[in-house]
Amino acid sequence: AQANIGVVGLAVMGSNLARNLAHHGNTVAVYNRSYGRTETLMNEHGDEGKFIPAKTIEEFVSSLAKPRTAIIMVKAGAPTDAMIEALADAMEPGDIIVDGGNSYFPDTIRREKEIRARGLHYVGCGISGGEEGALNGPSMMPGGTDESWKTLGPILESIAAVAEGEPCVTHIGHDGAGHFVKMVHNGIEYADMQLIGESYDLLRRGLGMSAEEIANTFDEWNKGDLDSYLVEITAEVLHHVDAKTGKPFVDVVVDHAGMKGTGTWTVQTALDLAVPVTGIAEAVFARGLSSMEAQREEVKSKPLAGPDGKINVEDKAAFVEAVRQALYASKIVAYAQGFDEIRAGAAKYDWNIDLGAVARIWRGGCIIRAKFLNRISDAFDSGEKFESLLQDAYFKAAVENAQDAWREVVSTAARVGIPVPAFSSSLSYYDGLRSDRLPAALIQGQRDFFGAHTYGRVDMPGTFHTLWSGDRSEIEE
Ligand code: NBP
């Protein structure tokens, strides 16, 4: 029997994806650079479905039915390039190469062009959900040609997570669109995690609640508007007790947050597109600050003065509720910003991206899956016209209702000295958007003064410059 799909790279992600494909009736050709991994997969899981193991790339390609479709799940960067090259050499025009790794979307755009020139299809496909998702149903964001989607779509739909009866996969757009959207997904994930972290800090350091009490609070929050995978696992992490010391697990973990680059890419790309993704940027910077070991060590020996972080409130429960509301409002802003970035990327790279569909495929399988994504897809699908998600009736009301609590939390945090960069930058963004006049007018004046950069006037069309070093009369450019 010939395989209808192949997987190249059988480390944790690839082998789980191959098993998921086999569980859903696909015949899966499998290949790994070192045959040991292929043998392990066959020995441990070979009886779970139909696999065709291959020792060489040529054997792998010849076991695939046409159009041959292969998903690459190897280390990002040079290994991915090497496998693409090997597959393209062995395949024929019309065949489909899928990169399921976390590739940087400009690389995907470049590779797609090169592979297309050789008559093959190249699909950059973002896959979210980690190991568990790969095995039991990820959320997938494929790019590539419409023609490749005809073959690949049904295969991916067979293994995707299902949310409200719909598979969590859609054809995002051409060339790098899928990896672009996956990148922004990860950026939003950074913001969401940072916001949850700030909430925890306010409750733990600020209110003096125990890890267990906060775990219970997150369990409660997970039943309402904040119902999401990240809030759920936050509660689990906080409930967990370290077996070695009997202390809360969170207290024995070194407080340096790691990162692999997708958050940084999201912010770099947003800077290029001039889209203010402040929540995501602050989340990336906060991870950076946490890992500035030398500076933080220096402060331990030579403290920088400030308040002690204790929040003294009479009604603790009311403050906990205020934090919940601040978290929800800030989260709405972070998602609104993420979707702004997707919209701007689509405009720049000429992708036709259905934002409602993006929200729908994020409802299951992926790390940012959350009930609230239904609200986002409803907003985009409603046909209502808005530039910012914050103008959608539901989100507008949600943020307006939460804003007193949000302001209270941000000002309290500033007063007692607890850092809330994502909460406060999201609030500033909201106020920036609300402002009738911004100090950008003054900045235009400064720019015109030192660099003759010109400015527009509020009362007439045109471009103007003031002769600052002359008689200060105004000239029209
Ligand atoms: P790794 O990223 O750890 O890569 C290991 C695989 O790459 C092995 O199959 C290895 O083959 C292969 N490989 C390497 Br390394 N260099 C190679 C080369 N020059 N030629 C051919 N194969 C090579 O695996 P992973 O954690 O399963 O992730 C796979 C992809 O999925 C990555 O791009 C990752 O970013 C992405 N991803 C991971 C997650 C996650 O939760 N882990 C989630 C979403 C996406 P060998 O066995 O012969 O060494």
Side-chain angles (χ1 to χ4, degrees):
Q2 290 217 304
N4 65 316
I5 182 81
V7 177
V8 173
L10 301 174
V12 55
M13 288 295 287
S15 54
N16 280 359
L17 203 68
R19 289 171 61 200
N20 186 354
L21 285 159
H23 295 168
H24 289 90
N26 296 285
T27 301
V28 193
V30 286
Y31 169 79
N32 192 72
R33 177 180 60 173
S34 38
Y35 192 61
R37 280 197 207 269
T38 315
E39 280 181 318
T40 306
L41 172 67
M42 294 312 295
N43 291 340
E44 293 177 5
H45 306 286
D47 58 354
E48 291 176 12
K50 287 175 272 176
F51 296 99
I52 305 180
K55 282 192 174 143
T56 64
I57 206 82
E58 291 73 21
E59 211 182 295
F60 170 79
V61 168
S62 59
S63 69
L64 286 166
K66 290 181 188 176
R68 300 180 185 91
T69 308
I71 306 178
I72 300 174
M73 291 302 291
V74 303
K75 214 179 173 69
T80 297
D81 271 317
M83 285 323 306
I84 294 166
E85 201 47 41
L87 277 175
D89 285 346
M91 284 177 152
E92 287 175 332
D95 291 348
I96 304 163
I97 299 173
V98 184
D99 171 14
N102 270 332
S103 294
Y104 186 35
F105 78 94
D107 291 337
T108 305
I109 293 176
R110 170 181 57 77
R111 288 169 179 155
E112 198 276 337
K113 211 170 162 189
E114 289 164 8
I115 298 299
R116 186 155 32 91
R118 296 166 70 168
L120 287 90
H121 296 282
Y122 183 79
V123 178
C125 179
I127 301 183
S128 178
E131 298 173 28
E132 208 269 339
L135 183 62
N136 297 317
S139 171
M140 288 171 287
M141 291 145 257
T145 57
D146 296 342
E147 201 186 328
S148 62
W149 175 245
K150 281 187 201 143
T151 304
L152 190 61
I155 299 172
L156 297 185
E157 282 169 356
S158 76
I159 60 162
V162 175
E164 314 211 354
E166 294 175 55
C168 293
V169 59
T170 190
H171 184 210
I172 301 285
H174 292 164
D175 55 62
H179 276 142
F180 184 94
V181 166
K182 173 58 167 43
M183 173 191 78
V184 176
H185 163 285
N186 285 27
I188 292 174
E189 175 185 310
Y190 273 60
D192 217 337
M193 291 168 74
Q194 175 65 23
L195 291 167
I196 291 171
E198 291 176 15
S199 304
Y200 161 77
D201 206 14
L202 287 161
L203 304 189
R204 188 83 195 267
R205 241 202 306 172
L207 292 186
M209 289 167 69
S210 69
E212 182 60 18
E213 284 172 318
I214 301 170
N216 294 332
T217 302
F218 277 103
D219 280 331
E220 277 309 305
W221 290 0
N222 198 37
K223 294 177 188 159
D225 292 330
L226 289 167
D227 180 339
S228 62
Y229 173 71
L230 282 172
V231 167
E232 179 193 325
I233 65 162
T234 300
E236 291 218 25
V237 171
L238 289 172
H239 277 302
H240 187 57
V241 173
D242 175 50
K244 291 195 184 73
T245 59
K247 290 181 182 169
F249 166 78
V250 69
D251 290 349
V252 301
V253 176
V254 176
D255 62 344
H256 298 168
M259 45 186 166
K260 282 191 176 169
T262 45
T264 305
W265 292 344
T266 311
V267 178
Q268 285 171 333
T269 305
L271 291 172
D272 288 339
L273 295 167
V275 178
V277 291
T278 58
I280 301 170
E282 290 294 355
V284 172
F285 288 140
R287 288 196 194 188
L289 188 148
S290 79
S291 299
M292 288 172 65
E293 216 168 332
Q295 284 85 342
R296 291 185 66 198
E297 278 307 313
E298 184 177 45
V299 173
K300 280 181 190 156
S301 55
K302 290 186 274 175
L304 297 171
D308 65 3
K310 299 271 177 294
I311 298 172
N312 291 310
V313 282
E314 287 196 355
D315 190 344
K316 265 194 183 184
F319 192 78
V320 172
E321 170 56 17
V323 172
R324 188 191 68 81
Q325 292 188 26
L327 173 55
Y328 194 45
S330 305
K331 178 173 163 137
I332 291 170
V333 168
Y335 279 67
Q337 294 177 339
F339 276 96
D340 280 348
E341 179 165 355
I342 295 176
R343 201 185 335 222
K348 172 158 181 192
Y349 296 101
D350 210 13
W351 296 317
N352 185 13
I353 299 182
D354 176 346
L355 299 179
V358 170
R360 279 197 298 281
I361 64 162
W362 287 352
R363 290 178 306 178
C366 66
I367 305 298
I368 64 170
R369 61 185 181 259
K371 245 209 179 125
F372 129 117
L373 283 157
N374 274 315
R375 301 283 191 182
I376 299 186
S377 56
D378 287 350
F380 286 121
D381 292 346
S382 68
E384 202 187 333
K385 284 246 176 297
F386 50 79
E387 289 294 324
S388 166
L389 199 55
L390 294 167
Q391 289 292 358
D392 164 72
Y394 170 80
F395 290 112
K396 184 172 189 297
V399 172
E400 284 170 359
N401 289 337
Q403 71 171 303
D404 288 349
W406 196 10
R407 293 180 194 287
E408 169 67 18
V409 168
V410 169
S411 57
T412 302
R415 209 169 46 243
V416 305
I418 292 181
V420 286
F423 274 177
S424 59
S425 69
S426 302
L427 180 57
S428 287
Y429 173 87
Y430 179 68
D431 284 332
L433 210 51
R434 276 183 345 105
S435 297
D436 184 31
R437 291 275 297 158
L438 287 168
L442 177 60
I443 291 169
Q444 284 298 81
Q446 294 163 335
R447 294 178 70 241
D448 190 59
F449 190 104
F450 66 67
H453 292 301
T454 74
Y455 52 88
R457 292 184 57 98
V458 296
D459 51 0
M460 60 181 81
T463 304
F464 300 90
H465 169 56
T466 290
L467 299 170
W468 294 102
S469 47
D471 64 359
R472 304 212 164 178
S473 59
E474 183 176 78
I475 55 170
E476 190 168 358
E477 295 277 305

